[in-house]
Amino acid sequence: LSSDFSDSPVTNIDATDRGNKTYYAKWNVNQYTISFDTDGGSAVSPITQDFGSTVVKPLDPTKVGYTFTGWEPEIPDTMPPYDMTIKAKWLDSEKPSGEIKVATNSWKTLLNSISFGLFFNNSQTVSISAVDNSNEEVKIEYLLSNSLLSITELDNQTFSLYTKPFSINPNNEYVIYAKLTDTSNNVSYISSDDLVLDDISPLISGVEDNKTYCEKKTVTVNDKYINSVKVNGNDVTLDSNNSFILGYGKQNIIVIDKSAN
C-alpha cells in the first residue's frame, strides 16, 4: 500500500491474500480544551484545538479591586494531550473600609478638618469596625490624638491594637484615628471629628455667691467652651477677656458650657 495514503483505506484483510504487504497507519489528531477559572473575574473563553498546536494566550481577565498576577498552572505553549482547567491568581489591591462610632455619631473617612463641635460631660464608648472586599479579616488599630494628623504623620505613629470597644474619659480633647490593614497589606485610615469630654463646671470669678457689694463688679467667666451666660435670665455678651460688668440689685448668674456643665 502507498505511504502517501493515495490508496483506498484497508478495512479488511482477505484470507486469500498472499505475499508480504506493508500497511501504513493513518492518524487523526485529537483536540483538547483548556478552560479558565477566573475566580470571580471577567470571563475568558476556553481554547479548543489540536494536540501539539501553538496556544495563543488570551487577554488577561479583570476583577474590581484586584490585580491579575497570572495563571495557576501557567498556560502551556502548545496544546497538551489532555483537557485542563487553569485558575486566575489575584492580588487584592483595594483598601479596607471601616467605621468609628461614638454615641450616635459615626465616621467612615479620614477627615481633613475638625469642627470642635461634639461635646460630652461624661465618658464615652468608642467602637471600630472594618470590612474588606476579600471577605478576610482586617487588622484594626487605633490612635488617640488631640490634633489633626496627615497621612504622612499617621504613617509614623504607633497605633494600639483594637480588640473590643473602649472608653475615653473627661477631661480631654480627642481625635480618634483607626488604621485598617487587610491580609494583602493594603492600609487605609479613618478618623473622628474632634470630641471634647469635659465634666468641669465653668468658673465665675470677681463675685462670690450670696455676697453683697456696694459697687459695680467686673465678673469673669473661665471656661474654654462657653455656651451661654445669663444674668437674671437675660443673655450677656462677654468682652475679649470673657468679662462683663455686673450692675446693682439682686443678680442671678448662670453660665453653661458646651458640655452642658
Side-chain angles (χ1 to χ4, degrees):
L1 296 179
S2 174
S3 63
D4 64 2
F5 302 102
S6 59
D7 297 323
S8 298
V10 176
T11 59
N12 181 60
I13 300 176
D14 192 270
T16 61
D17 284 349
R18 296 290 185 271
N20 295 328
K21 293 181 174 59
T22 299
Y23 295 92
Y24 297 92
K26 184 176 182 181
W27 300 94
N28 290 321
V29 63
N30 289 342
Q31 288 195 329
Y32 299 95
T33 298
I34 300 174
S35 300
F36 299 93
D37 177 0
T38 61
D39 190 22
S42 58
V44 175
S45 299
I47 299 173
T48 299
Q49 57 190 53
D50 293 346
F51 160 67
S53 60
T54 300
V55 175
V56 177
K57 293 178 174 58
L59 295 176
D60 293 342
T62 59
K63 186 178 180 180
V64 175
Y66 292 83
T67 300
F68 177 72
T69 61
W71 296 101
E72 179 62 40
E74 291 289 334
I75 299 175
D77 293 329
T78 58
M79 183 61 70
Y82 47 81
D83 294 333
M84 65 184 301
T85 297
I86 60 177
K87 189 171 183 178
K89 296 186 293 183
W90 300 99
L91 176 65
D92 179 11
S93 59
E94 185 171 312
K95 296 179 179 181
S97 59
E99 183 177 32
I100 299 172
K101 288 186 175 181
V102 177
T104 59
N105 307 282
S106 67
W107 302 269
K108 297 181 179 181
T109 60
L110 181 65
L111 303 183
N112 55 20
S113 64
I114 50 180
S115 65
F116 294 94
L118 293 174
F119 295 85
F120 304 91
N121 58 16
N122 51 21
S123 298
Q124 296 295 309
T125 299
V126 179
S127 60
I128 308 172
S129 59
V131 294
D132 188 58
N133 63 315
S134 66
N135 293 321
E136 296 180 353
E137 186 176 353
V138 177
K139 180 182 179 182
I140 303 175
E141 300 170 280
Y142 70 93
L143 172 71
L144 300 180
S145 174
N146 60 5
S147 62
L148 195 66
L149 299 175
S150 66
I151 291 181
T152 300
E153 291 170 319
L154 290 170
D155 286 339
N156 293 306
Q157 296 291 324
T158 300
F159 283 72
S160 300
L161 182 65
Y162 174 88
T163 57
K164 61 182 180 180
F166 60 91
S167 293
I168 51 176
N169 304 308
N171 290 281
N172 212 333
E173 297 175 358
Y174 299 94
V175 179
I176 305 163
Y177 289 93
K179 180 180 181 180
L180 313 176
T181 308
D182 66 16
T183 54
S184 297
N185 288 321
N186 297 304
V187 175
S188 61
Y189 295 105
I190 57 177
S191 65
S192 72
D193 203 344
D194 183 79
L195 310 172
V196 180
L197 275 64
D198 173 20
D199 64 2
I200 299 175
S201 296
L203 177 64
I204 300 172
S205 62
V207 292
E208 296 180 32
D209 196 23
N210 293 318
K211 284 288 287 282
T212 300
Y213 300 94
C214 297
E215 58 184 2
K216 291 183 178 181
K217 300 293 290 184
T218 298
V219 178
T220 301
V221 178
N222 293 301
D223 195 282
K224 186 175 181 180
Y225 296 106
I226 299 170
N227 186 53
S228 66
V229 179
K230 292 181 181 292
V231 176
N232 296 334
N234 299 312
D235 290 326
V236 172
T237 301
L238 303 178
D239 63 19
S240 59
N241 296 315
N242 283 351
S243 300
F244 66 94
I245 303 299
L246 192 64
Y248 295 111
K250 185 176 181 180
Q251 308 291 338
N252 180 30
I253 305 170
I254 299 177
V255 179
I256 303 176
D257 65 18
K258 292 182 179 180
S259 296
N261 299 300

